[in-house]
Amino acid sequence: MSNFDIFAKDIEIINRKAEELMSYRHDNIVVDAMKYSLSNGGKRIRPLLTLYWSSITKGDKDTALAFGITVEMIHTYSLIHDDLPCMDNDDFRRGKPSCHKAYGEENALLAGDALLTDAFKILSLTKTNPDNISKAVFYLSDFAGVDGMVGGQVLDLSFEEKTPSLPEITKMYSLKTCALLKAACVLGCLTGEDINNEYIEKAENFAQCLGLAFQIQDDILDIIGDEKLLGKPVGSDEKNNKPTFVRLNGIEKSKDYVEDLYNQAVGYINDFDNKEMLLELIGALKDRKY
């Protein structure tokens, strides 16, 4: 049994909602490329986080699904663009041809652009409190933009010209990975009946710990992981001379730090009701092999 089997029903609901929201008036090759990439596997961690933080704040489930899928659309657009020849030049994503390999570079570029812009269209059409939609637009754009995910990618590219320090790598991970997880958690809070700064602050801190642990785990798996489970060759970071947290800190110290980060994440939600699925998600991520 996979560690993620417990989330299978929620993932199925998320996927059905994504299909519903991705229904377009006109079908063309770019729409096909969008759907191809959005449906290309993945653990759906971000919409799950939105769903489970919504549960903590007693939020509306349908709103949480829509909000969570907008974060997943932003995440998917970033992966499409990351794989392009001008960026990481990766031919495969989750064991399948990257979007630009399946649909051509120009269509992949447009598919990423469309996923980004349509995410905000979906946010604007969600049937919930307009003030919460406004806040959701702000948080998602802030965490996805130059002060968040995009800024992390800029830092990542800059490391091709220099050898970064451990704090610089940690900052890059905080922006490139943690920021969008923060968006997912905070948007979950914005579906709730009891929205306050304490929830949002703890959601951000929780996501910071979870994101750092997740990214450092990826570094570890790139060294000792199973290629069949990962869907990509191991050792690619070392082969490409890519600076990572683990290469600078060592595997054993990094494993200990990941354990500590997951424990910190648990600490941020211990006082809340309805936290069971978030705890399950932490456990599944902690034990993951891919």
Side-chain angles (χ1 to χ4, degrees), residues 45 50 76 133 142 171 240:
I45 293 168
T50 306
T76 302
I133 292 176
D142 188 48
K171 181 180 178 181
N240 297 324

Side-chain angles (χ1 to χ4, degrees), residues 138-184:
F138 168 77
Y139 278 110
L140 185 55
S141 57
D142 188 48
F143 286 130
V146 290
D147 290 326
M149 182 186 70
V150 171
Q153 183 63 34
V154 172
L155 274 179
D156 197 10
L157 290 171
S158 75
F159 294 163
E160 295 176 3
E161 306 297 327
K162 67 171 186 175
T163 302
S165 64
L166 205 58
E168 287 175 320
I169 290 177
T170 302
K171 181 180 178 181
M172 184 267 286
Y173 288 173
S174 295
L175 295 173
K176 189 173 178 180
T177 302
C178 301
L180 216 54
L181 294 182
K182 290 179 183 179

Side-chain angles (χ1 to χ4, degrees), residues 8-237:
K9 287 184 179 179
D10 287 333
I11 291 172
E12 184 181 347
I13 292 168
I14 288 164
N15 289 338
R16 284 204 306 267
K17 186 67 175 180
E19 287 180 18
E20 175 193 324
L21 293 173
M22 292 290 287
S23 298
Y24 288 91
R25 291 187 298 274
H26 306 289
D27 284 329
N28 54 47
I29 192 169
V30 170
V31 171
D32 290 343
M34 294 164 69
K35 292 179 178 179
Y36 171 83
S37 296
L38 191 62
S39 64
N40 185 15
K43 303 176 184 68
R44 301 302 193 210
I45 293 168
R46 290 153 194 83
L48 285 173
L49 285 171
T50 306
L51 206 56
Y52 299 152
W53 272 95
S54 176
S55 180
I56 279 178
T57 56
K58 300 180 176 63
D60 178 72
K61 186 173 183 178
D62 201 53
T63 301
L65 285 169
F67 278 12
I69 287 161
T70 65
V71 182
E72 191 75 353
M73 290 170 73
I74 299 283
H75 174 59
T76 302
Y77 114 73
S78 75
L79 298 181
I80 293 173
H81 284 188
D82 278 357
D83 289 340
L84 288 170
C86 63
M87 299 287 274
D88 294 343
N89 196 21
D90 284 329
D91 292 346
F92 291 92
R93 169 67 62 179
R94 296 169 182 149
K96 293 175 65 176
S98 301
C99 188
H100 70 275
K101 283 295 179 181
Y103 290 92
E105 190 174 338
E106 67 282 8
N107 292 317
L109 181 67
L110 290 171
D113 292 344
L115 284 165
L116 168 62
T117 51
D118 284 8
F120 291 100
K121 175 182 175 182
I122 289 169
L123 273 184
S124 71
L125 293 174
T126 305
K127 294 179 181 178
T128 189
N129 185 326
D131 287 342
N132 291 350
I133 292 176
S134 177
K135 290 176 183 176
V137 168
F138 168 77
Y139 278 110
L140 185 55
S141 57
D142 188 48
F143 286 130
V146 290
D147 290 326
M149 182 186 70
V150 171
Q153 183 63 34
V154 172
L155 274 179
D156 197 10
L157 290 171
S158 75
F159 294 163
E160 295 176 3
E161 306 297 327
K162 67 171 186 175
T163 302
S165 64
L166 205 58
E168 287 175 320
I169 290 177
T170 302
K171 181 180 178 181
M172 184 267 286
Y173 288 173
S174 295
L175 295 173
K176 189 173 178 180
T177 302
C178 301
L180 216 54
L181 294 182
K182 290 179 183 179
C185 296
V186 171
L187 262 62
C189 293
L190 292 175
T191 69
E193 298 174 5
D194 182 19
I195 302 167
N196 58 52
N197 289 334
E198 180 192 0
Y199 282 122
I200 291 175
E201 183 179 348
K202 288 195 173 182
E204 288 190 36
N205 290 331
F206 169 90
Q208 175 70 16
C209 294
L210 199 71
L212 279 180
F214 185 91
Q215 189 58 58
I216 295 167
Q217 236 177 328
D218 269 0
D219 294 349
I220 295 169
L221 290 172
D222 186 72
I223 298 171
I224 62 173
D226 185 322
E227 290 188 1
K228 290 182 179 179
L229 291 175
L230 291 170
K232 63 179 181 179
V234 297
S236 59
D237 290 341

